CSV table of all heavy atoms in Angstrom, one decimal:
chain,number,residue,atom,x,y,z
S,1,GLY,N,29.5,1.2,-11.7
S,1,GLY,CA,29.2,-0.1,-11.1
S,1,GLY,C,28.4,-1.0,-11.9
S,1,GLY,O,28.5,-2.2,-11.9
S,2,SER,N,27.4,-0.4,-12.7
S,2,SER,CA,26.6,-1.3,-13.6
S,2,SER,C,26.3,-0.5,-14.8
S,2,SER,O,25.2,0.2,-15.0
S,2,SER,CB,25.3,-1.6,-12.8
S,2,SER,OG,24.4,-2.4,-13.6
S,3,PRO,N,27.2,-0.5,-15.8
S,3,PRO,CA,27.0,0.3,-17.0
S,3,PRO,C,25.7,0.1,-17.8
S,3,PRO,O,25.1,1.1,-18.3
S,3,PRO,CB,28.2,-0.2,-17.9
S,3,PRO,CG,29.2,-0.6,-16.9
S,3,PRO,CD,28.5,-1.2,-15.8
S,4,PRO,N,25.0,-1.1,-17.8
S,4,PRO,CA,23.8,-1.2,-18.5
S,4,PRO,C,22.6,-0.6,-17.7
S,4,PRO,O,21.5,-0.6,-18.3
S,4,PRO,CB,23.6,-2.7,-18.8
S,4,PRO,CG,24.4,-3.3,-17.7
S,4,PRO,CD,25.5,-2.4,-17.4
S,5,ALA,N,22.8,-0.2,-16.5
S,5,ALA,CA,21.6,0.2,-15.7
S,5,ALA,C,21.1,1.5,-16.3
S,5,ALA,O,21.7,2.3,-16.9
S,5,ALA,CB,22.1,0.5,-14.2
S,6,LYS,N,19.8,1.7,-16.0
S,6,LYS,CA,19.1,3.0,-16.4
S,6,LYS,C,19.1,3.8,-15.1
S,6,LYS,O,18.9,3.2,-14.0
S,6,LYS,CB,17.7,2.7,-16.9
S,6,LYS,CG,17.7,2.0,-18.2
S,6,LYS,CD,16.3,1.7,-18.7
S,6,LYS,CE,16.2,1.1,-20.0
S,6,LYS,NZ,16.9,-0.1,-20.2
S,7,ILE,N,19.3,5.1,-15.2
S,7,ILE,CA,19.3,5.9,-14.0
S,7,ILE,C,18.2,7.0,-14.1
S,7,ILE,O,17.8,7.4,-15.2
S,7,ILE,CB,20.6,6.6,-13.8
S,7,ILE,CG1,21.0,7.5,-15.0
S,7,ILE,CG2,21.7,5.5,-13.6
S,7,ILE,CD1,22.2,8.4,-14.7
S,8,ALA,N,17.8,7.5,-13.0
S,8,ALA,CA,16.9,8.6,-12.9
S,8,ALA,C,17.6,9.5,-11.8
S,8,ALA,O,18.1,9.0,-10.8
S,8,ALA,CB,15.5,8.2,-12.4
S,9,VAL,N,17.6,10.8,-12.1
S,9,VAL,CA,18.3,11.7,-11.2
S,9,VAL,C,17.3,12.7,-10.6
S,9,VAL,O,16.5,13.2,-11.4
S,9,VAL,CB,19.4,12.5,-11.9
S,9,VAL,CG1,20.1,13.5,-11.0
S,9,VAL,CG2,20.5,11.5,-12.5
S,10,TYR,N,17.3,12.9,-9.3
S,10,TYR,CA,16.4,13.8,-8.6
S,10,TYR,C,17.2,14.9,-7.9
S,10,TYR,O,18.0,14.6,-7.1
S,10,TYR,CB,15.6,13.0,-7.6
S,10,TYR,CG,14.9,11.8,-8.2
S,10,TYR,CD1,15.5,10.6,-8.3
S,10,TYR,CD2,13.6,11.9,-8.7
S,10,TYR,CE1,14.9,9.5,-8.9
S,10,TYR,CE2,12.9,10.8,-9.3
S,10,TYR,CZ,13.6,9.6,-9.3
S,10,TYR,OH,13.0,8.5,-9.9
S,11,LYS,N,17.0,16.1,-8.3
S,11,LYS,CA,17.7,17.2,-7.7
S,11,LYS,C,17.0,17.6,-6.4
S,11,LYS,O,15.9,18.0,-6.4
S,11,LYS,CB,17.8,18.4,-8.7
S,11,LYS,CG,18.6,19.5,-8.1
S,11,LYS,CD,18.7,20.6,-9.1
S,11,LYS,CE,19.6,21.7,-8.4
S,11,LYS,NZ,19.8,22.8,-9.4
S,12,VAL,N,17.8,17.5,-5.3
S,12,VAL,CA,17.2,17.9,-4.0
S,12,VAL,C,17.9,19.1,-3.4
S,12,VAL,O,17.4,19.6,-2.4
S,12,VAL,CB,17.3,16.7,-3.1
S,12,VAL,CG1,16.4,15.5,-3.6
S,12,VAL,CG2,18.7,16.2,-2.8
S,13,CYS,N,19.0,19.5,-3.9
S,13,CYS,CA,19.8,20.6,-3.3
S,13,CYS,C,20.0,21.8,-4.4
S,13,CYS,O,20.1,21.5,-5.6
S,13,CYS,CB,21.2,20.2,-2.9
S,13,CYS,SG,21.1,18.9,-1.6
S,14,ASP,N,20.0,23.0,-3.9
S,14,ASP,CA,20.4,24.1,-4.7
S,14,ASP,C,21.7,24.6,-4.1
S,14,ASP,O,22.4,24.0,-3.2
S,14,ASP,CB,19.4,25.2,-4.8
S,14,ASP,CG,19.0,25.8,-3.4
S,14,ASP,OD1,19.8,25.7,-2.5
S,14,ASP,OD2,17.8,26.3,-3.3
S,15,GLU,N,22.2,25.8,-4.6
S,15,GLU,CA,23.5,26.3,-4.1
S,15,GLU,C,23.5,26.6,-2.6
S,15,GLU,O,24.5,26.7,-2.0
S,15,GLU,CB,23.8,27.6,-4.9
S,15,GLU,CG,24.1,27.4,-6.4
S,15,GLU,CD,22.8,27.2,-7.2
S,15,GLU,OE1,21.7,27.7,-6.8
S,15,GLU,OE2,22.9,26.5,-8.2
S,16,ASP,N,22.3,26.9,-2.0
S,16,ASP,CA,22.2,27.3,-0.7
S,16,ASP,C,21.8,26.3,0.3
S,16,ASP,O,22.3,26.3,1.5
S,16,ASP,CB,21.2,28.5,-0.5
S,16,ASP,CG,21.5,29.7,-1.4
S,16,ASP,OD1,22.7,30.0,-1.5
S,16,ASP,OD2,20.6,30.3,-2.0
S,17,ASP,N,21.0,25.3,-0.1
S,17,ASP,CA,20.5,24.4,1.0
S,17,ASP,C,19.9,23.1,0.3
S,17,ASP,O,19.7,23.0,-0.9
S,17,ASP,CB,19.3,25.1,1.7
S,17,ASP,CG,19.0,24.5,3.0
S,17,ASP,OD1,19.8,23.6,3.5
S,17,ASP,OD2,18.0,24.8,3.6
S,18,CYS,N,19.7,22.1,1.2
S,18,CYS,CA,19.0,20.9,0.8
S,18,CYS,C,17.8,20.8,1.7
S,18,CYS,O,18.0,20.5,2.9
S,18,CYS,CB,19.9,19.7,1.0
S,18,CYS,SG,21.5,19.7,0.0
S,19,ARG,N,16.7,21.2,1.2
S,19,ARG,CA,15.5,21.2,2.1
S,19,ARG,C,14.9,19.9,2.3
S,19,ARG,O,14.8,19.0,1.4
S,19,ARG,CB,14.5,22.2,1.5
S,19,ARG,CG,15.0,23.6,1.3
S,19,ARG,CD,13.9,24.5,1.0
S,19,ARG,NE,14.3,25.8,0.6
S,19,ARG,CZ,15.0,26.7,1.4
S,19,ARG,NH1,15.3,26.4,2.6
S,19,ARG,NH2,15.3,27.9,1.0
S,20,SER,N,14.5,19.6,3.5
S,20,SER,CA,13.9,18.3,3.9
S,20,SER,C,12.7,17.9,3.1
S,20,SER,O,12.6,16.8,2.6
S,20,SER,CB,13.5,18.3,5.4
S,20,SER,OG,14.7,18.5,6.2
S,21,ARG,N,11.8,18.9,2.8
S,21,ARG,CA,10.6,18.5,2.1
S,21,ARG,C,10.9,18.1,0.7
S,21,ARG,O,10.3,17.2,0.1
S,21,ARG,CB,9.6,19.7,2.1
S,21,ARG,CG,10.0,20.9,1.5
S,21,ARG,CD,8.9,22.0,1.6
S,21,ARG,NE,9.4,23.3,1.0
S,21,ARG,CZ,9.5,23.5,-0.3
S,21,ARG,NH1,9.1,22.7,-1.1
S,21,ARG,NH2,10.0,24.7,-0.7
S,22,ILE,N,11.9,18.7,0.1
S,22,ILE,CA,12.3,18.4,-1.3
S,22,ILE,C,13.0,17.0,-1.3
S,22,ILE,O,12.7,16.2,-2.2
S,22,ILE,CB,13.2,19.5,-1.9
S,22,ILE,CG1,12.5,20.8,-2.0
S,22,ILE,CG2,13.8,19.0,-3.3
S,22,ILE,CD1,13.3,22.0,-2.4
S,23,LEU,N,13.8,16.7,-0.3
S,23,LEU,CA,14.5,15.4,-0.2
S,23,LEU,C,13.4,14.3,-0.1
S,23,LEU,O,13.5,13.3,-0.8
S,23,LEU,CB,15.4,15.4,1.0
S,23,LEU,CG,16.1,14.1,1.3
S,23,LEU,CD1,17.1,13.7,0.2
S,23,LEU,CD2,16.8,14.2,2.6
S,24,LEU,N,12.5,14.5,0.8
S,24,LEU,CA,11.4,13.5,1.0
S,24,LEU,C,10.5,13.4,-0.2
S,24,LEU,O,10.1,12.2,-0.5
S,24,LEU,CB,10.6,13.9,2.3
S,24,LEU,CG,11.4,13.8,3.6
S,24,LEU,CD1,10.5,14.4,4.7
S,24,LEU,CD2,11.8,12.3,3.9
């Protein structure tokens, strides 16, 4: 959508679950 944009990626899920505290 915006090739010149800079991105940051935050991992919130593992193979088993997406925990609320990690998401928040």
Side-chain angles (χ1 to χ4, degrees):
S2 179
K6 293 178 175 60
I7 62 169
V9 178
Y10 305 88
K11 183 175 179 176
V12 298
C13 301
D14 59 25
E15 293 79 26
D16 300 321
D17 198 12
C18 301
R19 301 197 189 292
S20 298
R21 65 181 173 79
I22 297 171
L23 174 69
L24 292 171

